[in-house]
Each structure stands twice: as C-alpha cells, then as structure tokens.
C-alpha cells in the first residue's frame, strides 16, 4: 500500500489512488459483455408479453393513465369552466390568425377544432391549449403567398378592361398549399417522435425562441397594416421582404381608407382599455372577461346594421360556410416545394409547445414526455391537415387562461373544441359582416406580450453577452430573411457560439487550499497556495479537435515553459554535437593514417621516427642558420597558435617530403593536424577549441546541462475532470505533451478522468510502456501526493509548512 505524504507537519496515511489501484480495488463493469448482443436486443424488442403490451399502449395513449382516475366531482366543473373560457378565445384568435396565414377565417376555426381533439388522446401535458398561434400562422402565410401570389389569379374585366383577382381560385390553391405543408410537418414530427428525437427542441435556446417570436411579431404587425389602413400593397417574398412591404405601405399612406382606419382605431382603443382592466382586476374576477369575443360580436352587429361594406367599402370577412368539410389527402406534388418550410414549422412548433408543457408540468408536479409530445403534435398536424387545417402548436395566452381558470386535464381542451364546433356548425354565417380591421386589431393587441420581450436586451446585457448576441442575431436575421431562413441562420449562429465557447474556455493554474483536499484557481482565490515544484493545469471545457492546439498553447503560457523553443534549441545543440563527433572521427582516421604512413616509412629506413626528436633537431638547425644570418626553416607565427614543420626528416639529398601544422602556443605541446584540414567545411576557425573538445554521449544532453533555461517544475498535473470525452486529436495532443515535457525531465500526470474518458484513452492507444495507467489518478490530490512522494524529496525548493490537517489525513 502506497502512502502519500505532504511536506510539513503531518503524513497522509492513505493510499494514493491511480487508475491501476482503482482497477485492483474495484472490478469495473464490462458493459460490452453485460449488455445483450444486437440480435438478442432485436429478439427482445420483437417479443410481446402482457406487461410490455400494456406499457406500450399506455405510453402511446397517455389519457388511459389519467382518465380511469378522473373524478367528475373534483375535476369536472373546473375543466368545464376552463374549456368554455378557452373556447371563447379560440373563436376570435382562430379567425384573426387565419388572416396571417392568408387563408379564409373559417380555416382558422378548423385549426382550433381537429388538432385539439387529436391531442386529447396522445398528449402528455394537461394544461396547454393546442390551436392557432401567431408565429406559425405567419410562417404558413409566407409559404402560401410565395407559392400562390395574387398575380397568378388575375382575371380581366371585359367591361372596363381592368384586372381583378379571382379570390375563390386563389383561396382554394392556398388552402391546398397550407394543408400539404401541415401534413408534411406533422409527418416530420411523428418520425422524430418515433425515433426518440425529442431532444431536438433543446437546440432552440430560450433567448433564440424569444427573439424569434419577437421578430415574428414584427412580421405580423407589418402583415396587418394593410387591414388597419385599408390599402393593398404588393406582397413581397424572399430576403428583405419585410423592408420592402413596410416601405410600400408607408408610400401608400396618403391612400388610407378613412372608414377602415376609424374602425381599426376604435377597435384598438376598446381592446387595449378592456385588457388593461382585465389585468388590473384579474385577482378579483373569477374568469377573465372575453373582451375579444365581445368586440367581435359588437363589431359584427354595427357592420351589419350600418352597412359598412356596401356603404363605406369596409372590407369584411365574407362568406363563412357552415358545416364541416370532408377529409382528403394532401397534394403530394407540393411536398418537394415546401419541405424546408415544413421542417421549420415542425421544429418551431414543437419548441414552443414543449417549453410551455414543461413549465406547467413543473408547476403542478407531473412529467411531460418529450418524444410522446413530439408524436402527439405530429399526429395533430397530420390529421388536421387532412381536414384542411394549417400548422398548430400550443398558444401561450390560451394556455395561461386554461391553467389560471382551474383546468386540471385535457378535458378542458375537449370543452373548448365543442365551443368551436358549435360555432362552425351554427354560428359561423353570423360573422360574415365582421370587418377584417377588427381581426387585425385583435392580432395587434395580442402581440403586446411579444413586444415586451424587447426588455430581454437589457437583462441579457447584464447577465450574458453571448446570449445577447444570439438574441440580436436571431431577431435581425428573422426580420431581414424569411421565417425559415431566419430560423436556420439563428440556429447556426447559436451552435457557433457553443463551438466558440469550447474553443475559448478558461485555463487556470490551481493551488492547494490549506486544510483541505481542494485545489482552486489561484487567480480567483487568494487563500490557495502553490504546490512547490508542481504545476496543476485545468481547462474548463472538453479537450477535442477544435481546441486541442489552444490547450497546448495555454499550457505553455501558464507553466512558463515554451516547450517548442526549448526543444528546438536542444535539437540544434544535438546537431552541433553530432557535427563535432563526426569531425573528431575524421581527425582520428586521418591521424591513424599518418601514423601508419610514418611507421611504414620508419620501417623502410630501419629506424623508428619520433616527431618530437625531429622537431627539436629542426629547431636547433633553424637556430644555427639564424646565427649565420640565414633564413631559418622554423618560423613561429605572431599569433602564437600555429607552427610549421616538415612531416618527415630531410632526405640525404637535402629535400623534404611533406609539411604539417602544429596547433598550440608551444611546438613541444602542440597537436598535430594536416594542412588539408583547412578545406574541411565544418571547420570554422583554425585552432578552435570547440573542434578539439572531447565528444560526450548525446543521450546525456539536456537543457539544464546546456545552461540556457532553468526552471523549478518537476511535475505537471493535467486536471481533466471537466472533460466528458476525448477524440483522436486530443489523445495525440496529450501523448505529445507527455513526450515533449519528458525530454526536459518534467513528469506529466492526468487527474480526475471520468470512466468514459479512460476507456476512450484505452481505445485510442494512449497507454503504452512509456505512459502507463499509473500516470492517471482519481483526483488531483492523489496526483499531487504521488508527485511529492516520487520527486518532492529531491526538490531543492523549501516546502511550505501547513498548519491544518486535510480531510482523510492524520
């Protein structure tokens, strides 16, 4: 058992837990053998039992789980009152939002009926109200007006040679497009639900959804301006369509229809005042006053008796057919034209519904199933599209009324659907004289809550600049592009911010908090102390291919060791050392050759030749010549470094063979070198002492011996506790860190690795003879204890004397 120690006044009497010790102490579960094979899992999924069948049926029809426990005494009256309140809201909102979808008002009532009934059977939320919603209505309207614009339905009036719009043909085509888009969006939602892809809505963050709905509210306002002012601007599609429409409406303001403007102004004033009174006295009222319904009824009566359409040319709703239309399959040929729009509708509708559903579920203590909600919403849209409905989702305003009015279950949704059904069957034709300006005013007033979301800018400025950037980019892209393109750009930017955050995490050096086993950031905590000789480095994000290089750069900066420059310097020194060895080898070979030649020559003369004796004789002969006034054969250079002498003694004829250079200040102690050495390209300075330095083993070369850098770090602990995975690039980076820092005699250790990370390191071939699992520790504290026990005793740095005893130590 290894015991870690801490320098100071106490020892740590516990085992230092590295990965090898953990494997010895506890048998890790091998999930590859414990989990059944693919064939076994497939066989288990295909087999059926009574328990499994019951669980599947109850999961697919959630109403079974609560309907059998339904108490009429406890839940009946609250659900009935809540359903009537929501049903009254369905009528004006359904007709008003159908204008946003560029459809006749009756199809808004259809969309408030069928989807609510379908959701009753398959939904898991008890409080949301399924039906028309502002954002989805605008998105559907952008599709219908793009594929069926007014220009495609112009007919000529033969009497005055003018052009008119065939409204019946246009509306028929737009209903077909809306129904096909709704069915396709529902199919996409069902497919995602069956594949358990309920988490897709999580990629739409709250700032993104709120900014998107705020931008959609701007589209709704601009779309309703033509009904408010009674003008007929050209419908624009594509990027900047909102700007073009707004500019055209402003240019047509001189042509404002005064009667329509008066109806709009009066409706807006009445609705705003009544809603403010409702909000002010909502605690004293048992139910909110149905202001919108009252406004519609009064406006219809006034329009009917004052003949606003025939006398003042105020645009009215027109014919509303009574009864229900038969179901029919959508036009499949339209699918390829609207697949992008359908996918955007599916995702946005699900995101809004699941956010509302989870809010109410958390408040009332029940659970909402993400995938089942996606499936229920997809069935609502797919079935509703076959009955000529357009895309629906949960409405915030109606859901709040349903919950605040005391609704307990989706029986309230059934009650509201009954109200809508009665209206379609019997009361629909009574609203034929309702001015469209009143419906536009209802849309305006209902958008007030969305416009209040502009206060998010101030809140996000104080809390998160990144979320503020997501909010602004989403809002701007929604305004400048279509709803689908704006959503795509917003999601892309939001994902880029996630990548940016992981690429730019916080890197920190940790220090020990005395008296504990905690290690905290030294920049943010003043009480922590640095562990002498050990650098503890942590990254706040997962290390992967996008930030692996940045991780290495931060490690160099925080540790103060630029390993790249240090290794480059070491490589240059090693290269110089190799060149010195090569030159020494060449000199040795040349010296051996010269000695062999001298020995052969001496053997031929029958005597042994001595360079020292011959040099002395040559000097004496030169001195004698100098005494007789002749030029000496021996000449000492002024720099006292090189002497010239013949290599062999004089021949009998008085001639000499070859010459050599003697290096040094004294010919008696000089070294022998050939004149050809001057031609050696590696030689820089004749007689340089570096060329004569004895060679030493390259394995012994270190930066410390080279003397350029000095440091007091002997170990680096990499805290990988924030990492939840590593990829091949990260594994390669870690392996390079172990190798490079090991070359300068610094040990690297990993700490805090999750089991999944260790498994990925094994699969990536990270561990080897050089890097064993003994380098991986369960906690940072274990790694520090091992470092101090392993190399702390040899450290020349004075260790701190801690007063307190850490947890688990004696």
């Amino acid at each position: 058992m290894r015991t870690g120690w801490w320098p100071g006044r106490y020892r740590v009497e516990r085992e230092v837990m590295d990965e090898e010790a953990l494997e010895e102490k506890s048998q890790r579960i091998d999930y590859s053998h414990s989990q059944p094979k693919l064939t076994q899992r497939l066989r288990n999924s295909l087999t059926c039992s009574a328990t499994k069948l019951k669980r599947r049926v109850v999961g697919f029809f959630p109403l079974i789980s609560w309907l059998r426990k339904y108490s009429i005494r406890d839940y009946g009256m609250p659900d009935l009152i809540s359903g009537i309140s929501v049903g009254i809201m369905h009528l004006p909102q359904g007709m008003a939002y159908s204008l946003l979808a560029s459809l006749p008002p009756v199809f808004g009532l259809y969309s408030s009926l069928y989807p609510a009934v379908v959701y009753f059977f398959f939904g898991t939320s008890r409080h949301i109200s399924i039906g028309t919603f502002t954002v989805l209505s605008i998105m559907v309207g952008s599709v219908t007006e793009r594929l069926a614009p007014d220009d495609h339905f112009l007919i000529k009036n033969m009497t005055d040679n003018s052009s008119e719009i065939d409204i019946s043909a246009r509306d028929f085509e737009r209903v077909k497009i809306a129904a096909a888009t709704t069915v396709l969006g529902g199919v996409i939602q069902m497919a995602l639900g069956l594949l358990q892809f309920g988490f897709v809505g999580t990629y739409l963050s709250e700032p993104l959804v709120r900014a998107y709905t705020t931008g959609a509210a701007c589209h709704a306002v601009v779309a309703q301006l033509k009904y408010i002012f009674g003008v007929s601007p050209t419908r624009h599609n594509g990027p900047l369509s909102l700007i073009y429409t707004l500019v055209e409406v402003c240019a047509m303001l001189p042509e404002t229809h005064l009667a329509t403007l008066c109806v709009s102004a009066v409706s807006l004033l009445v609705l705003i005042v009544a809603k403010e009174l409702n909000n002010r006295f909502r605690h004293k009222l048992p139910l909110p006053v149905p202001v919108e319904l009252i406004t519609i009824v009064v406006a219809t009566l006034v329009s009917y008796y004052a003949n606003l359409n025939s006398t003042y040319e105020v645009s009215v709703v027109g014919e509303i057919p009574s009864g229900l239309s038969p179901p029919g399959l959508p036009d499949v040929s339209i699918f390829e034209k609207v697949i992008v729009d359908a996918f955007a509708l599916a995702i946005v509708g699900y995101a809004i519904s699941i956010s509302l559903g989870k809010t109410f579920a958390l408040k009332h203590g029940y659970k909402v199933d993400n995938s089942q909600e996606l499936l229920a919403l997809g069935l609502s849209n797919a079935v509703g599209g076959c009955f000529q409905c357009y895309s629906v989702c949960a409405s915030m305003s109606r859901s709040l009324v349903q919950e605040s009015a005391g609704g307990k279950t989706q029986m309230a949704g059934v009650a509201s659907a009954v109200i809508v059904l009665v209206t379609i069957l019997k009361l629909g034709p009574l609203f034929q004289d309702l001015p469209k300006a009143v419906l536009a005013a209802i849309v305006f007033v209902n958008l007030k809550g969305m416009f209040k979301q502009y206060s998010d800018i101030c809140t996000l400025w104080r809390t998160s600049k990144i979320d503020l950037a997501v909010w602004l980019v989403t809002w701007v892209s929604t305004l400048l592009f279509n709803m689908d393109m704006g959503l795509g750009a917003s999601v892309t930017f939001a994902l880029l911010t996630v990548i940016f955050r992981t690429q730019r995490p916080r890197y920190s050096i940790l220090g020990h908090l005395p008296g504990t086993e905690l290690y905290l950031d030294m920049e943010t905590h003043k009480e922590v102390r640095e562990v002498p000789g050990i650098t503890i480095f942590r990254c706040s994000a997962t290390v992967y291919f996008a930030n692996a290089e940045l991780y290495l750069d931060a490690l160099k900066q925080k540790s103060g060791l630029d390993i790249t420059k240090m290794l480059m310097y070491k490589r240059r020194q090693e290269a110089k050392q190799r060149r010195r060895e090569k030159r020494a080898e060449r000199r040795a070979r040349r010296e051996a050759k010269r000695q062999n030649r001298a020995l052969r020559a001496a053997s031929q003369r029958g005597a042994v030749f001595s360079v020292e004796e011959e040099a002395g004789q040559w000097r004496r002969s030169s001195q004698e010549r100098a005494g007789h006034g002749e030029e000496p054969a021996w000449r000492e250079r002024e720099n006292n470094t090189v002497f010239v002498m013949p290599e062999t003694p004089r021949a009998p004829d008085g001639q000499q063979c070859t010459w050599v250079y003697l290096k040094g200040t004294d010919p008696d102690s000089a070294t022998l070198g050939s004149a050809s050495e001057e031609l050696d390209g590696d030689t820089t300075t004749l007689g340089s002492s570096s060329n004569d330095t004895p060679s030493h083993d390259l394995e012994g070369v270190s930066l410390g011996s080279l003397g350029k850098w000095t440091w007091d770090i002997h170990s680096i602990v990499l805290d990988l506790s924030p990492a939840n995975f590593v990829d091949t690039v990260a594994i390669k980076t870690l392996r390079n860190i172990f190798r490079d820092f090991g070359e300068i005699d610094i040990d690297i250790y990993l700490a805090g690795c999750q089991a999944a990370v260790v498994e990925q390191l094994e699969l990536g071939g990270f561990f080897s003879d050089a890097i064993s699992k003994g380098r991986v520790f369960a906690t940072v504290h274990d790694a520090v204890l091992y470092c101090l026990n392993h190399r702390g005793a040899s450290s020349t740095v004075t260790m701190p004397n801690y007063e307190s005893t850490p947890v688990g130590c004696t």
Side-chain angles (χ1 to χ4, degrees):
M1 176 175 178
R2 292 178 297 174
T3 58
W5 61 274
W6 194 271
R9 299 184 177 179
Y10 53 82
R11 281 178 64 88
V12 180
E13 298 294 341
R14 72 172 180 82
E15 183 178 3
V16 177
M17 298 300 293
D18 58 13
E19 193 64 27
E20 293 177 346
L22 283 175
E23 290 184 352
E24 293 175 1
K25 274 198 164 295
S26 61
Q27 294 294 328
R28 183 173 295 168
I29 299 175
D30 188 359
Y31 291 99
S32 62
H33 297 288
S34 62
Q35 289 183 349
K37 296 181 179 180
L38 179 61
T39 55
Q40 183 65 29
R41 293 200 302 268
L42 183 60
R43 188 181 300 110
N44 293 338
S45 62
L46 294 178
T47 57
C48 183
S49 62
T51 304
K52 184 181 293 186
L53 179 61
K54 179 181 178 180
R55 186 171 60 251
R56 292 289 178 87
V57 171
V58 172
F60 192 71
F61 296 97
L63 84 158
I64 298 176
S65 61
W66 59 265
L67 188 60
R68 59 185 179 181
K69 304 176 184 178
Y70 189 82
S71 174
I72 299 178
R73 175 182 298 178
D74 296 333
Y75 300 152
M77 187 57 64
D79 283 343
L80 180 60
I81 296 175
S82 176
I84 293 175
S85 302
V86 174
I88 292 173
M89 293 183 66
H90 267 299
L91 301 179
Q93 289 186 3
M95 290 189 290
Y97 293 160
S98 63
L99 297 182
L100 296 176
S102 299
L103 300 173
V106 68
F107 294 97
L109 298 178
Y110 293 159
S111 301
S112 302
L113 172 62
Y114 296 106
V117 175
V118 175
Y119 186 83
F120 168 77
F121 291 97
F122 301 99
T124 58
S125 176
R126 305 174 189 175
H127 295 89
I128 62 174
S129 174
I130 297 295
T132 56
F133 188 61
T134 313
V135 176
L136 297 190
S137 300
I138 299 170
M139 297 175 70
V140 172
S142 65
V143 178
T144 55
E145 295 199 5
R146 185 184 75 241
L147 299 181
D150 294 339
D151 298 340
H152 292 181
F153 301 96
L154 294 177
I155 56 176
K156 289 186 177 180
N157 191 346
M158 303 304 297
T159 57
D160 55 359
N161 202 22
S162 61
S163 298
E164 296 180 353
I165 300 175
D166 189 351
I167 297 178
S168 300
R170 182 200 64 184
D171 291 345
F172 177 77
E173 186 65 23
R174 288 181 176 177
V175 169
K176 285 175 54 180
I177 296 171
T181 306
T182 302
V183 171
L184 182 57
V187 171
I188 293 174
Q189 289 174 330
M190 286 191 296
L192 294 176
L194 292 174
L195 295 175
Q196 301 295 311
F197 270 66
F199 62 88
V200 293
T202 59
Y203 289 101
L204 302 180
S205 63
E206 183 179 359
L208 188 148
V209 173
R210 291 176 67 88
Y212 187 76
T213 54
T214 305
C218 296
H219 280 274
V221 168
V222 174
Q224 297 306 298
L225 289 178
K226 60 181 180 180
Y227 299 111
I228 295 294
F229 295 102
V231 296
S232 300
T234 305
R235 177 72 180 190
H236 299 277
N237 296 303
L240 302 179
S241 60
L242 179 71
I243 307 299
Y244 295 146
T245 303
L246 184 61
V247 170
E248 188 171 354
V249 169
C250 293
M252 299 180 67
L253 286 180
E255 304 175 11
T256 300
H257 193 266
L258 294 180
T260 302
L261 181 61
C262 291
V263 173
S264 303
V266 172
S267 302
L268 285 172
L269 181 62
V270 170
L271 288 170
I272 292 174
V273 172
K275 281 186 171 290
E276 289 297 325
L277 293 175
N278 252 345
N279 292 332
R280 185 173 182 179
F281 299 102
R282 64 181 181 273
H283 299 296
K284 299 180 179 180
L285 297 174
L287 291 175
V289 179
V291 180
E292 297 170 344
L293 183 60
I294 295 174
T295 303
I296 286 178
V297 173
V298 173
T300 302
L301 294 175
V302 172
S303 175
Y304 176 77
Y305 288 106
N307 295 323
L308 295 181
N309 179 249
S310 58
T311 305
Y312 300 100
E313 298 182 353
V314 175
S315 179
V316 296
V317 170
E319 181 181 359
I320 298 179
S322 59
L324 300 175
S325 57
L329 295 177
D331 189 352
V332 182
S333 62
I334 303 176
F335 284 177
E336 59 181 358
K337 302 177 183 178
V338 298
I339 184 170
V340 176
D341 304 278
F343 187 81
L345 284 166
I347 299 300
V348 173
Y350 170 68
I352 295 172
S353 299
I354 195 64
S355 60
L356 285 173
K358 286 186 175 181
T359 300
F360 292 120
L362 182 63
K363 181 178 179 180
H364 294 276
Y366 62 92
K367 185 179 179 181
V368 172
D369 188 343
N370 293 349
S371 298
Q372 182 62 28
E373 279 296 296
L374 194 54
L375 180 63
L377 196 60
L379 286 170
S380 300
N381 281 311
V383 174
C386 296
F387 287 92
Q388 298 179 336
C389 303
Y390 64 88
S391 295
V392 297
C393 69
S395 169
M396 184 179 300
S397 59
R398 293 194 305 270
S399 299
L400 288 174
V401 170
Q402 181 170 324
E403 189 265 344
S404 61
K408 303 296 183 181
T409 64
Q410 278 299 326
M411 291 297 294
V414 176
S416 64
V418 172
I419 300 295
V420 176
L421 178 62
V422 172
T423 303
I424 294 174
L425 295 178
K426 300 296 181 180
L427 304 179
L430 300 179
F431 295 104
Q432 292 180 359
D433 291 316
L434 174 65
K436 291 183 178 180
V438 177
L439 297 177
I442 293 174
V443 172
F444 261 72
V445 175
N446 287 335
L447 292 175
K448 182 185 67 173
M450 292 186 181
F451 285 118
K452 287 183 178 180
Q453 295 177 159
Y454 282 108
S455 61
D456 292 349
I457 297 177
C458 299
T459 303
L460 295 176
W461 174 262
R462 294 190 300 268
T463 57
S464 174
K465 301 297 189 298
I466 299 295
D467 288 340
L468 176 62
V470 172
W471 199 101
L472 293 176
V473 169
T474 302
W475 182 74
V476 171
S477 60
T478 305
L479 291 183
L480 298 183
F481 306 114
N482 280 341
M483 301 292 293
D484 52 350
M485 295 177 61
L487 179 64
S490 304
V491 173
T492 302
F493 180 79
L495 294 179
L496 288 177
T497 60
V498 176
I499 297 175
F500 175 79
R501 292 185 187 187
T502 58
Q503 279 190 311
R504 299 292 180 183
R506 180 179 178 85
Y507 300 102
S508 55
I509 297 295
L510 306 184
H512 177 250
L513 183 62
T516 68
E517 293 187 2
L518 300 178
Y519 293 83
L520 307 175
D521 189 353
M522 297 184 62
E523 296 181 359
T524 58
H525 297 81
K526 298 180 180 180
E527 298 82 4
V528 299
R529 302 177 184 179
E530 182 180 3
V531 182
I534 302 175
T535 296
I536 307 170
F537 179 74
R538 181 172 66 186
C539 173
S540 62
T542 295
V543 184
Y544 68 114
F545 70 92
N547 61 3
E549 185 176 355
L550 299 175
Y551 182 85
L552 180 58
D553 294 339
L555 177 59
K556 297 175 186 177
Q557 180 183 2
K558 293 289 185 179
S559 64
L561 300 176
D562 194 339
I563 191 67
T564 303
K565 291 184 178 179
M566 297 170 76
L567 293 179
M568 288 177 61
Y569 177 75
K570 183 178 179 181
R571 301 288 184 271
R572 287 198 298 266
Q573 296 302 318
E574 289 175 346
K576 290 181 181 179
Q577 184 68 17
R578 294 190 187 96
R579 289 197 296 269
R580 293 191 190 102
E581 289 190 347
K582 290 180 180 178
R583 288 196 296 269
E585 290 175 0
R586 288 197 297 267
R587 286 196 300 270
R589 287 194 297 268
R590 288 194 295 266
E591 181 66 21
K593 290 180 181 179
R594 284 195 295 269
Q595 291 179 359
N596 290 333
R597 286 197 300 269
L599 290 175
R600 285 195 299 270
S603 62
Q604 292 175 0
R605 295 194 303 271
V608 178
F609 173 73
S610 174
V611 175
E612 289 79 3
E613 294 177 357
E614 189 64 25
Q617 294 175 3
W618 187 259
R619 172 175 287 187
R620 287 191 297 269
S621 175
S622 298
Q623 291 176 352
E624 291 176 358
R625 290 188 178 186
H628 292 84
E630 298 179 2
E631 182 70 23
W634 178 277
R635 176 175 297 175
E636 186 173 354
R637 295 291 180 90
E638 295 179 357
N639 56 8
N640 296 324
T641 58
V642 179
F643 303 88
V644 182
M645 63 173 288
E647 183 177 4
T648 58
R650 283 181 181 272
D653 57 358
Q655 295 183 354
Q656 55 196 32
C657 297
T658 59
W659 297 78
V660 298
Y661 288 88
L662 290 178
K663 300 179 181 180
T665 58
D666 186 3
D668 294 332
S669 61
T671 57
L672 189 65
S674 173
S676 63
E677 189 177 271
E678 288 185 308
L679 303 178
D680 190 353
D682 291 332
T683 304
T684 56
T685 303
L686 189 61
S688 173
S689 61
S690 64
N691 291 335
D692 303 307
T693 304
S695 171
H696 61 273
D697 190 7
L698 284 179
E699 296 297 329
V701 175
S702 66
L703 287 171
S705 63
L706 296 176
K708 186 171 183 179
W709 282 283
T710 58
W711 58 92
D712 58 357
I713 301 174
H714 58 73
S715 302
I716 295 178
V717 178
L718 303 179
D719 182 9
L720 296 184
S721 56
N724 54 7
F725 74 93
V726 287
D727 59 1
T728 55
V729 178
I731 293 175
K732 183 179 180 180
T733 301
L734 292 175
R735 190 185 298 116
N736 292 339
I737 291 174
F738 273 80
R739 181 197 62 202
D740 294 343
F741 281 90
E743 289 196 31
I744 62 173
D745 199 26
I746 293 181
D747 295 332
I748 304 295
Y749 302 95
L750 304 182
C753 297
Q754 302 181 27
V757 174
V758 176
E759 183 179 355
Q760 291 166 2
L761 291 174
E762 292 177 347
L763 295 176
F766 176 76
F767 298 108
S768 61
D769 295 337
I771 307 175
S772 65
K773 286 188 177 181
R775 297 289 190 96
V776 183
F777 292 87
T779 64
V780 174
H781 192 63
D782 288 310
V784 171
L785 293 176
Y786 178 82
C787 294
L788 293 174
N789 192 22
H790 184 60
R791 298 189 62 171
S794 61
S795 177
T796 59
V797 182
T798 302
M799 299 297 184
N801 187 14
Y802 297 118
E803 298 290 341
S804 304
T805 301
V807 178
C809 304
T810 58

